[in-house]
C-alpha cells in the first residue's frame, strides 16, 4: 500500500492556499493510502515566535485538520515534536546534506534575506523536512507548488544516502494538485498567499466569516482589461480568481473563463463558491474546538501509532550509517 506523509507548520492562521494546495488532497489520500499527517511544530521554531502562541496554534491547527475531514480512524495525525525520531534522523541527514545545497534553497534565501540574524535551523529546515518524509517510508507527499524544491532535496538526500550506505530509504514523489497548487495573494497576485508574509486583505483565512470572505474577494486586485481570460503569467489576479473558483467547484479554470465577460459576476461566483466550500468546515471546527481534550487524545494516539513506523526506519538508518546499537 502506498505510504503518504505531509505536514503543516503551526506558524500562523491557516488559509485557502493551505486548503486547496494541500489539505484537500490529504483528505482524499487518507481513504486510498496509508497516510500520516503531522503538525510540524519544530519547523515553526526557525523564525521568531511566541512560545505560548505556538502551543495554542499547534492544537488549533490539528483541530482545523480534523474539521477539514481528516479521520483519525483511517489516518495517523500527530505532532512532529511528539516523535523524537524526527530530530534524530534529521541529524543523520544533516551529515549527508551539504552547506552549499542548503544555502541555495529559495525559501532559505527569501526568509533570510535582509535579516540581521538568521537561526541556524532556518538553513537546516529542509533537512528536518526530509527526515519527516523519509522516516515514514513515504512514497507520496501531497504539497503545494512552493514545496517542490524541498521535495527535490529530500529525494536527493535519500538517493545519496542509499548509494553511500546501502538501500535504507524510499525515494519520495511530490503530489501537487493541478488546480490550486499556487493560490496567490488577492492584493498582490504575483506573490503566493502566505500566513507569514501576506497582507491581511489578500489572505482568506479558514476562519474568516462569510462576509469577510466576500469582501476580500470583491476587493481582489485584477487588471485594467475588461474581458476574462485565464493567463496566470500576464493576468495573475484574474487567473487567481478563476483558479479559486475552479478549485472550489471542481471545474477547469481555463474553461470557466469562457463563462464570464466581466469581473463583477466572476468575483461574486468565486466568493459564493469559497463560502459554501468553507461553511461545513467552519461548523465542524466550532464543534471540535469546544472539546480540546478530545483533539489532544487523538494526537496522543497518533504519536503512538507513528512510533511504529518511525522507530523501524530510524533503527535501519542508525545501523546503515555505522552507529553502535545500545546494549
Ligand atoms: P506550510 O506550513 O507553509 O504549508 C502547508 C501546505 O500548504 C501548502 N501551501 C500552499 N499551496 C498553494 N498555494 C499557497 N499559497 C500555499 N501556501 C501553502 C504548502 O505547499 C504545504 O503543502 N515545509 C512545509 C511543512 C513541512 C512538510 C514536511 C510538508 C514540514 N515537513 C514534510 C510535507 C512533508 C511548509 O512550510 O508548509
Amino acid at each position: 500500500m502506498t505510504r503518504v506523509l505531509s505536514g503543516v507548520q503551526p506558524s500562523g492562521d491557516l488559509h485557502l492556499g493551505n486548503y486547496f494546495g494541500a489539505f484537500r488532497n490529504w483528505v482524499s489520500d487518507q481513504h486510498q493510502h496509508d497516510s500520516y499527517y503531522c503538525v510540524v511544530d519544530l519547523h515553526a521554531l526557525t523564525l521568531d515566535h511566541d512560545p505560548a502562541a505556538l502551543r495554542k496554534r499547534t492544537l488549533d491547527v490539528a483541530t482545523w485538520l480534523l474539521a477539514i475531514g481528516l479521520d483519525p480512524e483511517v489516518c495517523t495525525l500527530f505532532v512532529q515534536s511528539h516523535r523524537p525520531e524526527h530530530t534524530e534522523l534529521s541529524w543523520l541527514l544533516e551529515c549527508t546534506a551539504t552547506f552549499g545545497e542548503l544555502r541555495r534553497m529559495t525559501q532559505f534565501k527569501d526568509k533570510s534575506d535582509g535579516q540581521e540574524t538568521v537561526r541556524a535551523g532556518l538553513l537546516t529546515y529542509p533537512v528536518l523536512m526530509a527526515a519527516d518524509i523519509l522516516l515514514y517510508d513515504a512514497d507520496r507527499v501531497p504539497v503545494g507548488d512552493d514545496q517542490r524544491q524541498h521535495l527535490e532535496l529530500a529525494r536527493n538526500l535519500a538517493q545519496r544516502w542509499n548509494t553511500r550506505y546501502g538501500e535504507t530509504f524510499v525515494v519520495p514523489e511530490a503530489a501537487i494538485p493541478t488546480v490550486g497548487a499556487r493560490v496567490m495573494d488577492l492584493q498582490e497576485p504575483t506573490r503566493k498567499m502566505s500566513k507569514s508574509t501576506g497582507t491581511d486583505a489578500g489572505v482568506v483565512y479558514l476562519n474568516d466569516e462569510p462576509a469577510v470572505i466576500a469582501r476580500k474577494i470583491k476587493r481582489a486586485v485584477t487588471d485594467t482589461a475588461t474581458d476574462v481570460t485565464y493567463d496566470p503569467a500576464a493576468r495573475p489576479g484574474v487567473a487567481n480568481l478563476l483558479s479559486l473558483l475552479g478549485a472550489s467547484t471542481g471545474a477547469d479554470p481555463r474553461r470557466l473563463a469562457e463563462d464570464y465577460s466581466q469581473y463583477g459576476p466572476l468575483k461574486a461566483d468565486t466568493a459564493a463558491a469559497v463560502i459554501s466550500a468553507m461553511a461545513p468546515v467552519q461548523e465542524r471546527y466550532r464543534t471540535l474546538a469546544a472539546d480540546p481534550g478530545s483533539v489532544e487524545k487523538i494526537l496522543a494516539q497518533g504519536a503512538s501509532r507513528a512510533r511504529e513506523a518511525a522507530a523501524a526506519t530510524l533503527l535501519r538508518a542508525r545501523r546503515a550509517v555505522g552507529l553502535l546499537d545500545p546494549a
Side-chain angles (χ1 to χ4, degrees):
M1 197 181 199
T2 305
R3 200 41 103 58
V4 167
L5 176 125
S6 200
V8 54
Q9 293 193 63
S11 54
D13 290 331
L14 300 174
H15 53 75
L16 286 186
N18 300 129
Y19 182 71
F20 289 124
F23 302 159
R24 274 212 318 190
N25 273 350
W26 297 12
V27 173
S28 54
D29 275 356
Q30 70 180 342
H31 300 294
Q32 300 164 46
H33 311 294
D34 184 18
S35 304
Y36 290 76
Y37 301 115
C38 57
V39 182
V40 293
D41 51 349
L42 297 171
H43 277 106
L45 305 179
T46 55
L47 295 174
D48 277 355
H49 77 284
D50 167 13
L54 175 62
R55 226 177 336 262
K56 192 163 162 287
R57 281 213 172 107
T58 301
L59 191 62
D60 193 56
V61 166
T63 309
W64 276 109
L65 292 175
L66 293 166
I68 281 158
L70 290 189
D71 176 356
E73 299 291 321
V74 294
C75 74
T76 301
L77 174 65
F78 66 104
V79 174
Q80 181 192 37
S81 72
H82 293 176
R83 286 276 35 105
E85 291 85 357
H86 291 241
T87 40
E88 190 172 342
L89 183 61
S90 185
W91 176 255
L92 304 188
L93 293 172
E94 272 182 42
C95 296
T96 303
T98 68
F99 176 59
E101 68 191 340
L102 297 184
R103 200 180 39 184
R104 283 194 299 275
M105 291 283 119
T106 49
Q107 273 201 13
F108 173 71
K109 289 197 279 192
D110 291 348
K111 290 188 176 168
S112 59
D113 191 36
Q115 301 297 319
E116 221 167 272
T117 58
V118 175
R119 298 182 184 185
L122 189 64
L123 179 72
T124 56
Y125 175 114
V127 183
L128 178 60
M129 176 165 163
D132 299 338
I133 297 166
L134 302 184
L135 255 187
Y136 296 90
D137 294 329
D139 311 274
R140 176 180 160 89
V141 185
V143 283
D145 184 70
D146 61 340
Q147 298 301 316
R148 214 180 266 277
Q149 196 186 31
H150 287 159
L151 249 295
E152 208 41 51
L153 179 82
R155 289 170 56 81
N156 289 340
L157 293 181
Q159 278 159 346
R160 192 176 308 156
W161 176 294
N162 288 348
T163 306
R164 206 173 275 172
Y165 305 117
E167 278 307 309
T168 308
F169 298 123
V170 171
V171 180
E173 300 262 0
I176 296 172
T178 45
V179 180
R182 202 166 177 81
V183 176
M184 309 308 276
D185 187 289
L186 296 173
Q187 289 300 313
E188 290 182 52
T190 52
R191 282 170 43 163
K192 71 171 182 181
M193 190 175 278
S194 159
K195 53 193 167 219
S196 47
T197 56
T199 57
D200 197 50
V203 180
V204 176
Y205 296 103
L206 300 192
N207 60 356
D208 277 345
E209 298 284 335
V212 174
I213 299 177
R215 191 174 64 234
K216 287 178 175 177
I217 292 177
K218 192 166 161 216
R219 293 187 185 162
V221 167
T222 46
D223 52 36
T224 50
T226 47
D227 61 343
V228 173
T229 58
Y230 182 74
D231 184 347
R235 307 186 65 190
V238 181
N240 195 34
L241 291 170
L242 288 164
S243 295
L244 283 174
L245 180 59
S248 308
T249 56
D252 174 11
R254 219 171 288 274
R255 231 265 326 123
L256 283 170
E258 294 164 12
D259 295 347
Y260 296 92
S261 54
Q262 289 177 311
Y263 296 151
L266 170 61
K267 286 178 167 179
D269 286 359
T270 304
V274 169
I275 289 167
S276 82
M278 282 303 112
V281 173
Q282 294 180 334
E283 197 180 320
R284 278 197 298 273
Y285 172 80
R286 283 191 286 271
T287 310
L288 287 158
D291 185 8
S294 306
V295 180
E296 282 172 329
K297 216 157 113 198
I298 289 168
L299 293 174
Q301 283 162 354
S304 104
R305 277 216 299 267
R307 204 190 84 83
E308 235 168 85
T313 313
L314 181 62
L315 180 63
R316 220 161 59 225
R318 285 180 52 99
R319 288 180 172 166
V321 79
L323 300 180
L324 181 67
D325 282 350

Short mmCIF file of all heavy atoms in Angstrom, two decimals, residues 5-11 14-23 26 38 40 43 80 107 111 125 128-130 132-133 141-147 150-151 180-184 192-195, ligand 1:
data_model
loop_
_atom_site.label_atom_id
_atom_site.label_comp_id
_atom_site.label_asym_id
_atom_site.label_seq_id
_atom_site.Cartn_x
_atom_site.Cartn_y
_atom_site.Cartn_z
N LEU A 5 2.90 10.92 3.42
CA LEU A 5 3.19 11.79 4.58
C LEU A 5 3.16 13.23 4.13
O LEU A 5 3.66 13.57 3.05
CB LEU A 5 4.57 11.53 5.20
CG LEU A 5 4.81 12.55 6.34
CD1 LEU A 5 5.13 11.90 7.64
CD2 LEU A 5 5.76 13.65 5.98
N SER A 6 2.56 14.08 4.97
CA SER A 6 2.70 15.52 4.73
C SER A 6 2.61 16.27 6.05
O SER A 6 2.26 15.67 7.09
CB SER A 6 1.66 16.03 3.72
OG SER A 6 2.12 17.26 3.19
N GLY A 7 2.96 17.56 6.01
CA GLY A 7 2.96 18.33 7.24
C GLY A 7 2.60 19.79 6.99
O GLY A 7 2.65 20.28 5.86
N VAL A 8 2.24 20.46 8.09
CA VAL A 8 1.92 21.89 8.03
C VAL A 8 2.49 22.56 9.28
O VAL A 8 2.45 21.99 10.36
CB VAL A 8 0.39 22.12 7.92
CG1 VAL A 8 -0.39 21.41 9.02
CG2 VAL A 8 0.04 23.62 7.92
N GLN A 9 3.01 23.77 9.09
CA GLN A 9 3.57 24.50 10.23
C GLN A 9 2.47 25.22 11.00
O GLN A 9 1.60 25.83 10.39
CB GLN A 9 4.51 25.59 9.73
CG GLN A 9 5.75 25.09 9.07
CD GLN A 9 6.74 26.24 8.92
OE1 GLN A 9 7.20 26.82 9.90
NE2 GLN A 9 7.05 26.56 7.68
N PRO A 10 2.57 25.21 12.32
CA PRO A 10 1.61 25.99 13.11
C PRO A 10 2.15 27.40 13.33
O PRO A 10 2.25 27.87 14.47
CB PRO A 10 1.54 25.20 14.43
CG PRO A 10 2.91 24.61 14.56
CD PRO A 10 3.44 24.38 13.17
N SER A 11 2.52 28.07 12.23
CA SER A 11 3.20 29.35 12.40
C SER A 11 2.29 30.54 12.12
O SER A 11 2.72 31.67 12.17
CB SER A 11 4.43 29.41 11.48
OG SER A 11 4.03 29.14 10.16
N LEU A 14 -4.34 29.35 9.26
CA LEU A 14 -4.42 28.60 8.00
C LEU A 14 -5.27 29.38 6.99
O LEU A 14 -6.19 30.10 7.36
CB LEU A 14 -5.02 27.23 8.26
CG LEU A 14 -4.21 26.37 9.24
CD1 LEU A 14 -4.95 25.07 9.55
CD2 LEU A 14 -2.82 26.08 8.70
N HIS A 15 -4.97 29.17 5.72
CA HIS A 15 -5.66 29.95 4.68
C HIS A 15 -6.01 29.07 3.48
O HIS A 15 -5.68 27.87 3.45
CB HIS A 15 -4.78 31.13 4.25
CG HIS A 15 -3.38 30.72 3.85
ND1 HIS A 15 -3.09 30.11 2.67
CD2 HIS A 15 -2.20 30.83 4.52
CE1 HIS A 15 -1.80 29.86 2.59
NE2 HIS A 15 -1.23 30.29 3.71
N LEU A 16 -6.66 29.69 2.48
CA LEU A 16 -7.13 28.93 1.31
C LEU A 16 -6.01 28.26 0.54
O LEU A 16 -6.21 27.22 -0.08
CB LEU A 16 -7.89 29.85 0.36
CG LEU A 16 -9.28 30.31 0.75
CD1 LEU A 16 -9.90 31.08 -0.40
CD2 LEU A 16 -10.17 29.12 1.13
N GLY A 17 -4.79 28.84 0.58
CA GLY A 17 -3.65 28.21 -0.10
C GLY A 17 -3.36 26.86 0.53
O GLY A 17 -3.18 25.86 -0.18
N ASN A 18 -3.32 26.81 1.84
CA ASN A 18 -3.09 25.53 2.53
C ASN A 18 -4.19 24.53 2.18
O ASN A 18 -3.93 23.35 1.94
CB ASN A 18 -3.11 25.71 4.06
CG ASN A 18 -2.05 26.67 4.57
OD1 ASN A 18 -2.36 27.59 5.32
ND2 ASN A 18 -0.81 26.49 4.17
N TYR A 19 -5.43 25.05 2.13
CA TYR A 19 -6.57 24.17 1.91
C TYR A 19 -6.57 23.57 0.50
O TYR A 19 -6.59 22.35 0.33
CB TYR A 19 -7.87 24.95 2.17
CG TYR A 19 -9.11 24.11 2.01
CD1 TYR A 19 -9.43 23.12 2.94
CD2 TYR A 19 -9.96 24.29 0.92
CE1 TYR A 19 -10.57 22.34 2.78
CE2 TYR A 19 -11.09 23.52 0.76
CZ TYR A 19 -11.40 22.55 1.70
OH TYR A 19 -12.51 21.77 1.54
N PHE A 20 -6.47 24.45 -0.51
CA PHE A 20 -6.54 23.93 -1.88
C PHE A 20 -5.22 23.31 -2.34
O PHE A 20 -5.20 22.39 -3.15
CB PHE A 20 -6.97 25.04 -2.85
CG PHE A 20 -8.42 25.42 -2.68
CD1 PHE A 20 -8.79 26.73 -2.44
CD2 PHE A 20 -9.41 24.46 -2.77
CE1 PHE A 20 -10.13 27.08 -2.28
CE2 PHE A 20 -10.75 24.80 -2.62
CZ PHE A 20 -11.10 26.12 -2.38
N GLY A 21 -4.10 23.86 -1.83
CA GLY A 21 -2.81 23.34 -2.26
C GLY A 21 -2.48 21.99 -1.63
O GLY A 21 -1.81 21.17 -2.24
N ALA A 22 -2.93 21.78 -0.40
CA ALA A 22 -2.51 20.57 0.31
C ALA A 22 -3.66 19.80 0.96
O ALA A 22 -3.90 18.63 0.64
CB ALA A 22 -1.47 20.94 1.37
N PHE A 23 -4.37 20.42 1.89
CA PHE A 23 -5.27 19.67 2.78
C PHE A 23 -6.33 18.86 2.05
O PHE A 23 -6.70 17.77 2.49
CB PHE A 23 -5.97 20.59 3.78
CG PHE A 23 -5.02 21.38 4.64
CD1 PHE A 23 -5.45 22.55 5.27
CD2 PHE A 23 -3.71 20.97 4.84
CE1 PHE A 23 -4.58 23.28 6.07
CE2 PHE A 23 -2.83 21.70 5.63
CZ PHE A 23 -3.27 22.86 6.25
N TRP A 26 -4.97 15.70 1.20
CA TRP A 26 -4.75 14.86 2.38
C TRP A 26 -6.03 14.08 2.69
O TRP A 26 -5.97 12.90 2.99
CB TRP A 26 -4.39 15.71 3.61
CG TRP A 26 -3.13 16.49 3.51
CD1 TRP A 26 -2.38 16.73 2.40
CD2 TRP A 26 -2.47 17.16 4.59
NE1 TRP A 26 -1.29 17.51 2.73
CE2 TRP A 26 -1.33 17.79 4.06
CE3 TRP A 26 -2.74 17.31 5.96
CZ2 TRP A 26 -0.45 18.53 4.85
CZ3 TRP A 26 -1.87 18.06 6.75
CH2 TRP A 26 -0.73 18.65 6.19
N CYS A 38 1.40 15.41 9.90
CA CYS A 38 1.87 15.98 11.16
C CYS A 38 1.86 17.50 11.18
O CYS A 38 2.01 18.15 10.15
CB CYS A 38 3.24 15.43 11.54
SG CYS A 38 4.52 15.68 10.33
N VAL A 40 3.93 20.37 12.13
CA VAL A 40 5.39 20.42 12.29
C VAL A 40 5.79 21.61 13.16
O VAL A 40 6.25 22.64 12.68
CB VAL A 40 6.10 20.40 10.91
CG1 VAL A 40 5.88 19.06 10.22
CG2 VAL A 40 5.63 21.52 10.00
N HIS A 43 9.47 22.92 13.02
CA HIS A 43 9.76 23.82 11.91
C HIS A 43 9.37 25.26 12.24
O HIS A 43 9.95 26.21 11.70
CB HIS A 43 9.03 23.37 10.64
CG HIS A 43 9.75 22.29 9.89
ND1 HIS A 43 9.34 20.98 9.88
CD2 HIS A 43 10.88 22.33 9.14
CE1 HIS A 43 10.17 20.26 9.14
NE2 HIS A 43 11.12 21.06 8.68
N GLN A 80 4.71 16.68 15.30
CA GLN A 80 6.10 16.30 14.97
C GLN A 80 6.98 16.14 16.21
O GLN A 80 7.69 15.14 16.35
CB GLN A 80 6.67 17.40 14.06
CG GLN A 80 8.07 17.21 13.57
CD GLN A 80 8.58 18.50 12.92
OE1 GLN A 80 8.26 19.60 13.39
NE2 GLN A 80 9.32 18.36 11.84
N GLN A 107 13.61 29.13 -0.50
CA GLN A 107 12.90 29.59 0.71
C GLN A 107 13.89 30.10 1.75
O GLN A 107 13.60 31.04 2.47
CB GLN A 107 12.02 28.49 1.29
CG GLN A 107 10.66 28.51 0.62
CD GLN A 107 9.55 27.83 1.44
OE1 GLN A 107 9.71 27.52 2.62
NE2 GLN A 107 8.44 27.61 0.79
N LYS A 111 13.67 33.90 3.10
CA LYS A 111 13.39 34.16 4.51
C LYS A 111 14.58 34.74 5.26
O LYS A 111 14.40 35.37 6.30
CB LYS A 111 12.88 32.88 5.19
CG LYS A 111 11.49 32.51 4.70
CD LYS A 111 10.83 31.38 5.46
CE LYS A 111 9.41 31.17 4.94
NZ LYS A 111 8.79 29.96 5.41
N TYR A 125 16.35 23.64 7.95
CA TYR A 125 14.91 23.37 7.87
C TYR A 125 14.55 22.25 6.87
O TYR A 125 13.83 21.30 7.22
CB TYR A 125 14.25 24.71 7.49
CG TYR A 125 12.79 24.71 7.21
CD1 TYR A 125 11.91 25.39 8.05
CD2 TYR A 125 12.25 24.06 6.10
CE1 TYR A 125 10.55 25.41 7.79
CE2 TYR A 125 10.91 24.06 5.85
CZ TYR A 125 10.06 24.74 6.69
OH TYR A 125 8.72 24.74 6.44
N LEU A 128 15.26 18.69 8.11
CA LEU A 128 14.25 18.18 9.05
C LEU A 128 13.01 17.73 8.28
O LEU A 128 12.41 16.70 8.58
CB LEU A 128 13.91 19.26 10.09
CG LEU A 128 12.84 18.91 11.12
CD1 LEU A 128 13.22 17.68 11.96
CD2 LEU A 128 12.57 20.11 12.06
N MET A 129 12.67 18.48 7.26
CA MET A 129 11.51 18.10 6.43
C MET A 129 11.78 16.77 5.71
O MET A 129 10.90 15.90 5.63
CB MET A 129 11.22 19.22 5.42
CG MET A 129 10.12 18.90 4.46
SD MET A 129 9.54 20.39 3.62
CE MET A 129 8.68 19.62 2.24
N ALA A 130 13.01 16.60 5.24
CA ALA A 130 13.36 15.31 4.60
C ALA A 130 13.24 14.19 5.62
O ALA A 130 12.75 13.09 5.31
CB ALA A 130 14.78 15.39 4.03
N ASP A 132 11.21 14.09 8.18
CA ASP A 132 9.77 13.82 8.37
C ASP A 132 9.29 12.80 7.33
O ASP A 132 8.52 11.88 7.64
CB ASP A 132 8.94 15.09 8.15
CG ASP A 132 9.28 16.22 9.12
OD1 ASP A 132 9.82 15.93 10.19
OD2 ASP A 132 8.99 17.39 8.77
N ILE A 133 9.73 13.02 6.10
CA ILE A 133 9.22 12.21 4.98
C ILE A 133 9.86 10.82 4.98
O ILE A 133 9.17 9.80 4.89
CB ILE A 133 9.52 12.94 3.65
CG1 ILE A 133 8.79 14.28 3.61
CG2 ILE A 133 9.16 12.06 2.46
CD1 ILE A 133 9.27 15.21 2.50
N VAL A 141 4.01 12.55 -1.36
CA VAL A 141 3.98 13.69 -0.43
C VAL A 141 3.07 14.78 -1.02
O VAL A 141 3.50 15.53 -1.91
CB VAL A 141 5.40 14.24 -0.18
CG1 VAL A 141 5.36 15.35 0.88
CG2 VAL A 141 6.35 13.13 0.25
N PRO A 142 1.82 14.85 -0.58
CA PRO A 142 0.91 15.86 -1.13
C PRO A 142 1.20 17.25 -0.58
O PRO A 142 1.02 17.52 0.61
CB PRO A 142 -0.49 15.38 -0.71
CG PRO A 142 -0.26 14.46 0.46
CD PRO A 142 1.15 13.96 0.39
N VAL A 143 1.66 18.14 -1.45
CA VAL A 143 2.05 19.51 -1.05
C VAL A 143 1.65 20.49 -2.14
O VAL A 143 1.36 20.09 -3.27
CB VAL A 143 3.58 19.63 -0.86
CG1 VAL A 143 4.05 19.03 0.45
CG2 VAL A 143 4.34 19.04 -2.04
N GLY A 144 1.71 21.78 -1.81
CA GLY A 144 1.53 22.84 -2.79
C GLY A 144 2.83 23.03 -3.57
O GLY A 144 3.89 22.50 -3.20
N ASP A 145 2.72 23.83 -4.62
CA ASP A 145 3.85 24.01 -5.54
C ASP A 145 5.10 24.60 -4.86
O ASP A 145 6.22 24.32 -5.26
CB ASP A 145 3.37 24.95 -6.66
CG ASP A 145 4.41 25.14 -7.72
OD1 ASP A 145 4.67 24.16 -8.44
OD2 ASP A 145 5.00 26.22 -7.80
N ASP A 146 4.91 25.39 -3.78
CA ASP A 146 6.07 26.04 -3.14
C ASP A 146 7.01 25.04 -2.45
O ASP A 146 8.11 25.41 -2.07
CB ASP A 146 5.60 27.11 -2.14
CG ASP A 146 4.75 26.55 -1.02
OD1 ASP A 146 4.20 25.44 -1.17
OD2 ASP A 146 4.64 27.21 0.03
N GLN A 147 6.59 23.80 -2.28
CA GLN A 147 7.43 22.81 -1.60
C GLN A 147 8.22 21.92 -2.57
O GLN A 147 8.91 20.99 -2.16
CB GLN A 147 6.58 21.92 -0.67
CG GLN A 147 5.90 22.70 0.45
CD GLN A 147 6.91 23.43 1.33
OE1 GLN A 147 7.94 22.89 1.71
NE2 GLN A 147 6.63 24.68 1.66
N HIS A 150 11.99 21.68 -1.92
CA HIS A 150 12.29 20.92 -0.70
C HIS A 150 12.14 19.41 -0.94
O HIS A 150 12.88 18.59 -0.41
CB HIS A 150 11.38 21.36 0.44
CG HIS A 150 11.72 22.71 0.99
ND1 HIS A 150 10.83 23.49 1.69
CD2 HIS A 150 12.87 23.42 0.91
CE1 HIS A 150 11.42 24.62 2.04
NE2 HIS A 150 12.66 24.61 1.58
N LEU A 151 11.13 19.06 -1.74
CA LEU A 151 10.92 17.65 -2.05
C LEU A 151 12.06 17.09 -2.88
O LEU A 151 12.50 15.95 -2.68
CB LEU A 151 9.60 17.51 -2.84
CG LEU A 151 8.48 16.82 -2.10
CD1 LEU A 151 8.83 15.36 -1.82
CD2 LEU A 151 8.20 17.50 -0.77
N GLY A 180 -5.08 24.86 -7.98
CA GLY A 180 -4.96 25.28 -6.57
C GLY A 180 -3.58 25.05 -5.98
O GLY A 180 -3.36 25.26 -4.79
N ALA A 181 -2.61 24.64 -6.81
CA ALA A 181 -1.26 24.35 -6.30
C ALA A 181 -0.53 25.61 -5.88
O ALA A 181 0.41 25.56 -5.10
CB ALA A 181 -0.44 23.63 -7.37
N ARG A 182 -0.99 26.76 -6.40
CA ARG A 182 -0.34 28.02 -6.07
C ARG A 182 -1.41 29.10 -5.98
O ARG A 182 -1.68 29.80 -6.95
CB ARG A 182 0.68 28.33 -7.18
CG ARG A 182 1.75 29.26 -6.72
CD ARG A 182 2.93 29.33 -7.67
NE ARG A 182 3.85 30.32 -7.14
CZ ARG A 182 4.72 30.06 -6.17
NH1 ARG A 182 4.82 28.85 -5.66
NH2 ARG A 182 5.49 31.01 -5.69
N VAL A 183 -2.03 29.21 -4.81
CA VAL A 183 -3.04 30.24 -4.59
C VAL A 183 -2.30 31.54 -4.29
O VAL A 183 -1.37 31.56 -3.48
CB VAL A 183 -3.97 29.85 -3.41
CG1 VAL A 183 -4.95 30.97 -3.12
CG2 VAL A 183 -4.70 28.54 -3.72
N MET A 184 -2.67 32.61 -4.99
CA MET A 184 -1.93 33.87 -4.86
C MET A 184 -2.63 34.84 -3.91
O MET A 184 -3.84 34.73 -3.66
CB MET A 184 -1.76 34.52 -6.24
CG MET A 184 -1.19 33.57 -7.31
SD MET A 184 0.33 32.74 -6.82
CE MET A 184 1.52 34.00 -7.23
N LYS A 192 2.59 34.46 -3.54
CA LYS A 192 1.68 33.41 -3.07
C LYS A 192 0.96 33.86 -1.80
O LYS A 192 1.49 34.66 -1.02
CB LYS A 192 2.46 32.10 -2.83
CG LYS A 192 3.37 32.14 -1.64
CD LYS A 192 3.94 30.77 -1.31
CE LYS A 192 4.80 30.93 -0.06
NZ LYS A 192 5.45 29.77 0.42
N MET A 193 -0.23 33.33 -1.62
CA MET A 193 -0.97 33.58 -0.38
C MET A 193 -0.17 32.93 0.74
O MET A 193 0.21 31.76 0.62
CB MET A 193 -2.37 32.98 -0.50
CG MET A 193 -3.29 33.37 0.63
SD MET A 193 -4.99 32.74 0.38
CE MET A 193 -5.69 33.97 -0.73
N SER A 194 0.12 33.69 1.81
CA SER A 194 1.02 33.18 2.83
C SER A 194 0.63 33.67 4.21
O SER A 194 0.24 34.82 4.38
CB SER A 194 2.44 33.65 2.49
OG SER A 194 3.26 33.60 3.63
N LYS A 195 0.76 32.75 5.21
CA LYS A 195 0.39 33.15 6.56
C LYS A 195 1.44 34.05 7.18
O LYS A 195 1.16 34.78 8.11
CB LYS A 195 0.11 31.94 7.44
CG LYS A 195 1.20 30.91 7.47
CD LYS A 195 0.70 29.60 8.11
CE LYS A 195 1.69 28.48 7.86
NZ LYS A 195 1.11 27.22 7.56
P1 LIG B 1 3.37 25.21 5.10
O1 LIG B 1 3.06 25.07 6.54
O2 LIG B 1 3.90 26.54 4.63
O3 LIG B 1 2.11 24.90 4.22
C1 LIG B 1 1.36 23.70 4.35
C2 LIG B 1 0.94 23.23 2.98
O4 LIG B 1 0.18 24.24 2.31
C3 LIG B 1 0.75 24.49 1.01
N1 LIG B 1 0.59 25.91 0.69
C4 LIG B 1 0.07 26.37 -0.46
N2 LIG B 1 -0.46 25.74 -1.53
C5 LIG B 1 -0.95 26.51 -2.52
N3 LIG B 1 -0.95 27.88 -2.50
C6 LIG B 1 -0.42 28.54 -1.45
N4 LIG B 1 -0.44 29.88 -1.43
C7 LIG B 1 0.12 27.79 -0.37
N5 LIG B 1 0.68 28.12 0.83
C8 LIG B 1 0.98 26.96 1.45
C9 LIG B 1 2.22 24.11 1.14
O5 LIG B 1 2.77 23.80 -0.12
C10 LIG B 1 2.14 22.92 2.08
O6 LIG B 1 1.89 21.74 1.34
N6 LIG B 1 7.80 22.90 4.78
C11 LIG B 1 6.36 22.71 4.83
C12 LIG B 1 5.91 21.86 6.01
C13 LIG B 1 6.54 20.51 6.13
C14 LIG B 1 6.28 19.38 5.30
C15 LIG B 1 7.04 18.32 5.87
C16 LIG B 1 5.48 19.18 4.18
C17 LIG B 1 7.42 20.11 7.08
N7 LIG B 1 7.71 18.80 6.93
C18 LIG B 1 7.03 17.05 5.27
C19 LIG B 1 5.49 17.91 3.61
C20 LIG B 1 6.24 16.87 4.15
C21 LIG B 1 5.69 24.05 4.97
O7 LIG B 1 6.25 25.01 5.46
O8 LIG B 1 4.37 24.05 4.65
#
